[in-house]
Amino acid sequence: MELVAIQINAGSDWEANRSRLASLLQQLPAQRPLLVLLPENSVVFGSKKAIQQAAEPLGEGPIQAQFSQWAKELGIWLVVGSTPTRIKGSERLHATSLVYNEQGELVGHYHKLHLFDVDVADNQGRYRESDSFAPGDDLCVIDSPFGRLGLSICYDLRFPELYRALRAKGADILLVPAAFTRVTGQAHWLPLLQARAIENQCYVLAAGLYGEQGERQTWGHSVIISPWGEVERCLPKGEGLIVAPIDTERLALIRRQMPVAQHARLSAVWRNE
């Protein structure tokens, strides 16, 4: 079983982004099963208008149909890092991660919980994700041949309580699709990812956008991290993909030898709540 993170430089044109993604998906290794993660905003990355034009109701529309088709044709588990989905009765959208199995079936979704409303010392300076998006409310852990998948998106990474909750729900692999800024990525991306892997004893599969998109500068550095915190693969720059195997026996051994989930004295598990 192999984990794959794809890294692209996405823009505001879905057709151009689709062409990039199709080319990279053709470079996947031949072995199966594969769990393939795309970055956040790999569908569209640009103005509020471009995002609204690409938005679809959950489970409907030609963009989501394309991802379903790719998953089925390639025989892969495909996780769309995020795509804009409509909220009935609201002008704001959800940033939604979609999980397709090898039959092309949508087996789970996650609406981004934490919205990136911050000021950063870069070319753009001010980010207000809540201008276009509404936060989700629910955690998502999905059964798969690779283990249980815990879903998150980008800014979620700064909230360790989310990942602790995913671990409590049985997550084995933490998925982190992202469009981290260059400034924050250089400072915090890898340390945060390694911390989430170590403290939860999970694999971390993280796929990032890379490059410049207007005033936006994204960090890339897609990475696969072991449950011991080791960086197994990393793609610092450019478009491409990284691949690493998942070792379920080692995962189980790490948890057995150091059972931190059972030792946590503030957890609901310890308190039998």
Side-chain angles (χ1 to χ4, degrees), residues 48 51 92 115-120 124-134 216:
K48 186 173 182 178
I51 293 168
R92 291 200 295 171
L115 301 181
F116 192 59
D117 288 2
V118 304
D119 299 316
V120 178
Q124 180 158 325
R126 184 176 188 272
Y127 297 83
R128 294 295 181 271
E129 203 167 35
S130 61
D131 288 347
S132 298
F133 295 97
R216 291 288 297 264

Side-chain angles (χ1 to χ4, degrees), residues 249-261:
E249 292 183 1
R250 185 173 185 230
L251 174 63
L253 179 63
I254 288 170
R255 291 179 173 183
R256 186 168 62 250
Q257 291 181 333
M258 191 181 295
V260 294

Side-chain angles (χ1 to χ4, degrees), residues 38-205:
L38 307 180
E40 181 187 29
N41 298 325
S42 53
V43 169
V44 61
F45 192 50
S47 67
K48 186 173 182 178
K49 180 180 179 181
I51 293 168
Q52 284 284 346
Q53 289 175 339
E56 300 172 327
L58 180 64
E60 303 177 22
I63 293 175
Q64 293 171 74
Q66 176 64 88
F67 290 117
S68 173
Q69 181 181 344
W70 276 333
K72 184 176 182 179
E73 288 181 350
L74 297 169
I76 60 174
W77 276 67
L78 180 61
V79 183
V80 181
S82 77
T83 188
T85 59
R86 298 202 174 278
I87 304 171
K88 188 175 182 179
S90 176
E91 291 186 2
R92 291 200 295 171
L93 310 167
H94 280 312
T96 305
S97 187
L98 305 171
V99 182
Y100 296 92
N101 66 16
E102 69 272 18
Q103 283 83 43
E105 299 165 333
L106 181 62
V107 295
H109 70 275
Y110 163 74
H111 301 313
K112 187 176 183 180
L113 284 177
H114 301 99
L115 301 181
F116 192 59
D117 288 2
V118 304
D119 299 316
V120 178
D122 63 5
N123 289 344
Q124 180 158 325
R126 184 176 188 272
Y127 297 83
R128 294 295 181 271
E129 203 167 35
S130 61
D131 288 347
S132 298
F133 295 97
D137 295 309
D138 300 316
L139 303 181
C140 184
V141 178
I142 298 172
D143 288 322
S144 81
F146 312 89
R148 288 176 60 78
L149 312 178
L151 273 59
S152 67
I153 302 174
C154 199
Y155 190 48
D156 285 335
L157 183 60
R158 293 185 180 274
F159 300 88
E161 60 273 20
L162 167 60
Y163 297 90
R164 184 66 78 192
L166 293 174
R167 174 69 175 89
K169 287 182 175 291
D172 301 306
I173 305 171
L174 303 173
L175 304 181
V176 190
F180 251 62
T181 72
R182 188 176 299 171
V183 170
T184 59
Q186 187 172 17
H188 299 146
W189 171 246
L190 188 56
L192 286 170
L193 290 168
Q194 288 181 291
R196 299 297 88 86
I198 294 166
E199 66 200 9
N200 295 294
Q201 299 176 317
C202 288
Y203 278 92
V204 169
L205 178 60

